[in-house]
Amino acid sequence: MSTDQKTQSQQILFTRGVPPAEALPAEDLGECFDSVVRNDTSVVLQYGQQRGYAPLRKQLAEEYGVSDDEVLVGNGSLQLQDLLSKHLVNEEDAVFTEQPSYDRSILTFRRNGARVTGIPLEEDGIDVERLERALEREVPAFLYLVPDFQNPTGATLSLEKRRRVVELAERYGFYILEDIPYRKLRYRGEDLPLLRELDSAGRVITVSSFSKLLSPGMRVGFMIGSKGLIDDLTGLAENTYLAPVLPTQAAVSEYIGRGMLAPNVESLKELYRPRWEAMTSSVKQELPGATMFTSNGGFFVGVMLPEDANTQNLVGRAKEQGLVLTPGESFFADSDDGEPPRGERFVRLPFCAVTTDQIEEGVSRLAGLV
Ligand code: PMP
């Protein structure tokens, strides 16, 4: 076998946005587990604490400047999105998302009866004019946004647009669900305010997760909203899973309490930054005709291939070359203008769980296919 054939035969996974094995702090988390199971046995090994492990809720409440009863900690953030959709969406209600958006959220909203409409995403976040036009036609149950380093594109919502979107939510009376699991993984630039920090009318619900900062297997996610909303969702949660998984929530709380989270995030950024740089520069070099969303953090870079790119069976042809891609279409909801969504031209490129060599090789294989 020639060197070329060997390289081709090594599969490169540009599919799931998961942390690589070397990013999981096994030793430290193990110690935290051990400590909470031994020292807080009657709480963490028992049913109860339906709103989530109380010390963790308190830590989160302090971080976000809210009261404890505005925080619900559950089994991963996607399940909280599911509970929220059950609560807010009546059959056939609209939910608006960015277009493209996180595929599993689109599916979750649809499963709860929503008609999901995607509003085009620009370099600096959702197209606010298009959003306003859509709002003149109908007001959604909520608008779902991933404002920082969006999944699947990496794009970040600008400050100006954050203000305008919050104003629209207040004027038209809909909720914004801001989903921020990647926010702390910034490789360049300065943080922008949370949407909830710009909101004075209680229109913003925040959801996030420890999946990308610590471990997805822990299944610890949280939601912040008004006390009334959190009360309602807690009732739904109790009827769904009885009680949350307290040992993992307690381990996360212990990990935070020992001051380990911030250094862990710093070491993740050190691990991911060169991968992010490799992905960004490989795309610029290998796919000059494509439009790349500017990503300053997170797990993904998204590209829109040129109009004349060969996208016919791209996922199948890539697989034959040992390159595994997620079909672009899965990130697209129904269009706001009735036109068919152009998902076949979109490619999501996750960079955290691949080495810089795999990134360069993978992007070059992709370029050879389109
Ligand atoms: N929201 C976004 C934008 C995500 O990318 C993910 C995970 N890929 C989730 C939510 C779900 O995360 P969790 O593990 O907390 O359910």
Side-chain angles (χ1 to χ4, degrees):
M1 207 195 261
S2 73
T3 321
D4 253 14
Q5 281 169 321
K6 263 195 220 145
T7 324
Q8 293 270 310
S9 67
Q10 279 168 8
Q11 239 193 12
I12 297 175
L13 294 177
F14 279 174
T15 40
R16 295 173 63 214
V18 297
E22 67 268 32
L24 305 172
E27 283 302 315
D28 288 342
L29 265 183
E31 278 178 28
C32 291
F33 261 113
D34 194 62
S35 161
V36 295
V37 168
R38 284 171 203 279
N39 298 327
D40 202 8
T41 312
S42 59
V43 172
V44 304
L45 295 186
Q46 191 52 276
Y47 284 134
Q49 308 230 333
Q50 274 74 15
R51 292 166 178 271
Y53 187 61
L56 181 56
R57 283 176 43 234
K58 195 169 171 29
Q59 287 159 325
L60 291 167
E62 270 164 24
E63 177 177 352
Y64 288 90
V66 296
S67 74
D68 297 15
D69 50 19
E70 293 170 300
V71 181
L72 173 63
V73 188
N75 305 328
S77 64
L78 191 66
Q79 188 165 34
L80 295 171
Q81 290 193 33
D82 187 41
L83 295 173
L84 183 78
S85 322
K86 273 199 184 70
H87 184 60
L88 290 184
V89 175
N90 294 312
E91 199 62 36
E92 284 301 300
D93 273 357
V95 165
F96 291 173
T97 65
E98 294 145 328
Q99 181 91 304
S101 182
Y102 175 41
D103 50 349
R104 288 188 194 276
S105 291
I106 297 175
L107 291 174
T108 301
F109 306 149
R110 282 188 173 146
R111 206 179 50 241
N112 284 290
R115 282 176 299 106
V116 185
T117 300
I119 312 288
L121 183 69
E122 301 176 306
E123 183 69 26
D124 58 348
I126 193 164
D127 182 333
V128 181
E129 264 83 53
R130 290 279 281 264
L131 172 61
E132 202 162 353
R133 257 181 274 157
L135 287 168
E136 279 158 16
R137 293 191 293 271
E138 66 178 332
V139 177
F142 58 88
L143 164 67
Y144 172 71
L145 296 176
V146 184
D148 298 293
F149 324 127
Q150 194 233 23
N151 182 1
T153 60
T156 292
L157 186 64
S158 68
L159 178 58
E160 157 72 13
K161 284 191 173 179
R162 283 174 198 243
R163 293 211 168 96
R164 289 177 65 194
V165 170
V166 170
E167 262 166 39
L168 288 174
E170 292 176 7
R171 175 145 38 105
Y172 285 86
F174 60 91
Y175 286 109
I176 299 173
L177 176 58
E178 71 170 338
D179 184 13
I180 54 168
Y182 304 102
R183 180 172 168 89
K184 291 185 178 168
L185 296 172
R186 176 179 278 281
Y187 313 128
R188 178 171 63 189
E190 299 292 318
D191 282 350
L192 293 171
L194 291 169
L195 291 165
R196 67 173 313 103
E197 289 166 343
L198 303 172
D199 166 40
S200 52
R203 286 279 143 209
V204 177
I205 302 162
T206 304
V207 65
S208 192
S209 166
F210 290 96
S211 291
K212 306 295 151 51
L213 305 180
L214 208 42
S215 143
M218 307 273 283
R219 308 308 302 132
V220 181
F222 59 93
M223 188 169 274
I224 301 172
S226 68
K227 179 179 180 306
L229 179 82
I230 294 300
D231 285 348
D232 290 343
L233 293 187
T234 304
L236 259 184
E238 192 171 351
N239 286 332
T240 307
Y241 50 70
L242 198 50
V245 183
L246 294 172
T248 53
Q249 295 191 8
V252 170
S253 172
E254 181 72 16
Y255 192 86
I256 295 171
R258 293 184 185 195
M260 289 169 159
L261 187 63
N264 192 57
V265 171
E266 283 314 306
S267 69
L268 291 178
K269 291 203 285 193
E270 266 169 48
L271 176 66
Y272 296 154
R273 189 177 282 111
R275 297 178 182 193
W276 161 75
E277 275 165 357
M279 186 58 91
T280 315
S281 58
S282 297
V283 168
K284 277 190 192 140
Q285 204 176 324
E286 298 281 344
L287 294 165
T291 313
M292 178 174 62
F293 287 88
T294 306
S295 158
N296 291 327
F299 270 49
F300 309 100
V301 164
V303 294
M304 202 46 107
L305 298 169
E307 292 278 353
D308 59 356
N310 176 9
T311 55
Q312 191 72 33
N313 185 27
L314 179 60
V315 173
R317 287 186 296 121
K319 198 159 183 208
E320 282 164 20
Q321 299 295 313
L323 178 67
V324 191
L325 301 174
T326 306
E329 289 90 338
S330 42
F331 303 106
F332 283 67
D334 298 338
S335 301
D336 62 335
D337 58 2
E339 294 294 316
R342 302 299 310 276
E344 72 285 351
R345 280 175 50 217
F346 178 75
V347 187
R348 180 181 77 169
L349 299 168
F351 52 79
C352 288
V354 271
T355 62
T356 51
D357 286 349
Q358 287 172 324
I359 289 169
E360 283 161 18
E361 172 60 25
V363 176
S364 133
R365 283 185 203 173
L366 175 63
L369 291 165
V370 298

